[in-house]
Amino acid sequence: MINKRLLIKNLLAHNDESSFYDKKRQLNLHTREGKGKFLKHICALSNSNPTNNSYIVVGVEDHDNEIVGDDFFDDSRIQNLVNAFLENPPKISYENVPFPNLPKDKVVGLVTIKPKSKTSFFKKGIHTILPNTVFIRIGSNTVPIEHDYEKNYQNTETVIGIENSSRNSIGYTLDGVIDFMNFRHKDLSSNYKVFKELFVICWAGIPKKIRDKTFLSRVDIELINEQIKLFYSAQDEVTITFDEDSFTIIEYVPLGLNDKTSYYPLEKQTIRFYDNGYYKIDREILFEPPEFNKKMLFHIYNSNMALLVKLQKGSALSEGENRDLQNLPSTLMICYLNGFEEAKQKLIDAKPLLKPYPNIYLSFKEALRILRKMKYDLQ
């Protein structure tokens, strides 16, 4: 098994960006421009590495390789975005990798692009990229080329060498368990479970029992062997169940209007472990959006729009408006889920206005995370 933290260090230490890896300060998949740039790099790295993995490291400063981290990004449906725009799309994965020097709500993202012999190209345009465009990597540059080009196989030995030097050890695993339970989460209830005598999952949170079910809040869950954060949320609540072969997380999202909040199951994530040293993660969306009275929502939506105008002008807010501001991200999300199509974009556009308010900005990021889970806006 590959220790993903060690792999990232080895990639960054190898040299600057190359034809088998790229690095980004952060991903922006909320806009067509951001999606286009991401897809362009996926296309280029896939075409430039037909027989070996290639990588994108997210949360690293470009000029000096400083690891600064980025928000936890748990959207497994990122593959759907690649499939929607690329012909012969490669298989990709996005993993969240914790680093000791980062705050516990920050991780480094690792995008792994699996090798594919067929040429990937854009089957439809996005932003400034035209249909049928092909990209490859030349050094650290991503460039468009003709469909017919000579495949490059020179990276295989180098990449395999980097991956082999990033293999896990008992020492790395024990250090990871001790760091998770005794240092990073010493203020929370922490547990661990060993599967198949190979895999160790650690989790921490604040337990709360409601009727016959125990929920955890402020949840952090890691697959220690590979240094992958499986789940992180400062707000949502989860339930955890496991047997000898699997570990299941069901995430609940608090939603409501006028301070009347209910918990709705959002997603079930099951990690299945096998005797041959492999594991598989299955995800299933469980969410059914709550329905509210359209006339009431229309009034609330207009009130939120007026509130954003006041923020933009720098006007003072009343006590009631400050309370409404606390709920603005989840309120706009509810409006969007109830047919107010423009509410999602209004929420995205409000980012700079909400950023000065840490708790509200956290709610903003949680709302966008939930909306990403539902469906990418590919239009």
Side-chain angles (χ1 to χ4, degrees), residues 259 303-304 307-308 310-311 315-329 331 353-354 356-357 359-360:
D259 298 324
S303 297
N304 276 270
L307 188 56
L308 289 176
K310 291 191 74 170
L311 279 181
S315 304
L317 302 182
S318 67
E319 184 178 340
E321 287 172 331
N322 273 308
R323 284 197 302 270
D324 290 341
L325 183 61
Q326 299 289 330
N327 298 322
L328 185 141
T331 299
L353 300 175
L354 303 179
Y357 306 90
N359 289 337
I360 301 171

Side-chain angles (χ1 to χ4, degrees), residues 92-106:
I92 68 166
S93 64
Y94 189 103
E95 295 164 313
N96 298 277
V97 184
F99 273 74
N101 61 312
L102 295 177
K104 56 187 174 185
D105 62 332
K106 296 293 182 182

Side-chain angles (χ1 to χ4, degrees), residues 260-356:
K260 294 180 181 178
T261 299
S262 298
Y263 286 89
Y264 297 85
L266 175 62
E267 183 182 43
K268 180 167 74 171
Q269 182 179 173
T270 302
I271 304 97
R272 303 184 191 282
F273 300 98
Y274 301 95
D275 292 325
N276 59 3
Y278 288 91
Y279 66 91
K280 180 183 178 184
I281 299 178
D282 296 317
R283 292 178 172 90
E284 178 187 357
I285 286 289
L286 306 174
F287 189 60
E288 294 184 6
E291 294 184 5
F292 293 89
N293 179 276
K294 284 292 200 300
K295 186 177 289 188
M296 179 184 69
L297 277 181
F298 188 75
H299 171 73
I300 292 173
Y301 178 76
N302 284 337
S303 297
N304 276 270
M305 292 301 99
L307 188 56
L308 289 176
V309 170
K310 291 191 74 170
L311 279 181
Q312 201 162 19
K313 291 180 177 179
S315 304
L317 302 182
S318 67
E319 184 178 340
E321 287 172 331
N322 273 308
R323 284 197 302 270
D324 290 341
L325 183 61
Q326 299 289 330
N327 298 322
L328 185 141
S330 60
T331 299
L332 287 182
M333 178 173 65
I334 288 172
C335 288
Y336 174 74
L337 294 173
N338 279 264
F340 289 68
E341 294 295 330
E342 69 280 8
K344 179 180 177 183
Q345 191 57 49
K346 294 291 185 183
L347 177 61
I348 293 170
D349 294 341
K351 179 179 179 179
L353 300 175
L354 303 179
K355 207 163 187 178

Side-chain angles (χ1 to χ4, degrees), residues 12-69:
L12 295 177
H14 178 71
N15 55 23
D16 205 352
E17 295 167 312
S18 69
S19 53
F20 60 82
Y21 97 95
D22 194 10
K23 58 186 176 185
K24 299 292 173 194
R25 176 61 185 82
Q26 61 183 23
L27 293 184
N28 177 14
L29 299 183
H30 304 310
T31 66
R32 289 179 65 82
E33 180 181 4
K35 290 173 185 174
K37 287 181 178 179
F38 175 72
L39 290 165
K40 179 175 72 173
H41 293 308
I42 294 291
C43 178
L45 287 165
S46 176
N47 289 333
S48 301
N49 297 276
T51 58
N52 58 268
N53 291 333
S54 48
Y55 298 96
I56 301 175
V57 179
V58 183
V60 177
E61 292 288 4
D62 187 55
H63 62 285
D64 61 0
N65 275 1
E66 181 186 0
I67 296 174
V68 293

